Amino acid sequence: MLTPYPIDAARVAALHAIRDRLPGNDARSGRARLLEALQTLGYVTTFEAMRFLDVFDPRPRKLELVRLGFPIELHWRHVATESGKPHRIGLYAMSRTAEQGAAA
């Protein structure tokens, strides 16, 4: 059985702070919010991006960031949302290989 989507209040507050610091509903603003969340929180799910960062459709924003040269990986998670129904959601994270290369 799937557990409800796990997100704590501190993470929601951090996502909301990013949203509030970078307002706007255009693609540029959405990319900026998604990138800052990735860089500061380590990962962002599509659910979090839509719900807490106010990025209506994070998929094109992620693709735009990749085209700009940011090494973002996609991983899949199966979680239950508030309805209790299982959903497959994307999890975006900066590539660890790129981070290791930058540290060398």
Side-chain angles (χ1 to χ4, degrees):
M1 180 168 181
L2 295 174
T3 58
Y5 183 75
I7 186 164
D8 63 26
R11 185 166 178 87
V12 171
L15 291 163
H16 281 170
I18 292 168
R19 179 202 61 200
D20 295 345
R21 193 169 40 260
L22 299 167
N25 63 0
D26 59 340
R28 183 178 180 180
S29 300
R31 280 193 307 273
R33 287 192 297 273
L34 183 58
L35 180 60
E36 183 169 332
L38 286 167
Q39 291 173 331
T40 60
L41 299 174
Y43 70 90
V44 178
T45 68
T46 53
F47 180 81
E48 292 169 339
M50 290 182 285
R51 183 98 178 207
F52 306 117
L53 287 176
D54 198 28
V55 177
F56 182 73
D57 189 352
R59 297 168 302 170
R61 303 299 78 88
K62 179 258 189 187
L63 181 58
E64 292 161 357
L65 289 170
V66 168
R67 287 181 177 158
L68 289 170
F70 294 97
I72 301 170
E73 296 179 341
L74 168 64
H75 304 276
W76 293 107
R77 275 193 178 172
H78 290 86
V79 299
T81 58
E82 292 98 339
S83 69
K85 303 293 183 196
H87 292 272
R88 185 175 86 150
I89 62 171
L91 180 143
Y92 300 140
M94 294 297 227
S95 170
R96 291 180 186 235
T97 305
E99 290 172 8
Q100 292 167 352

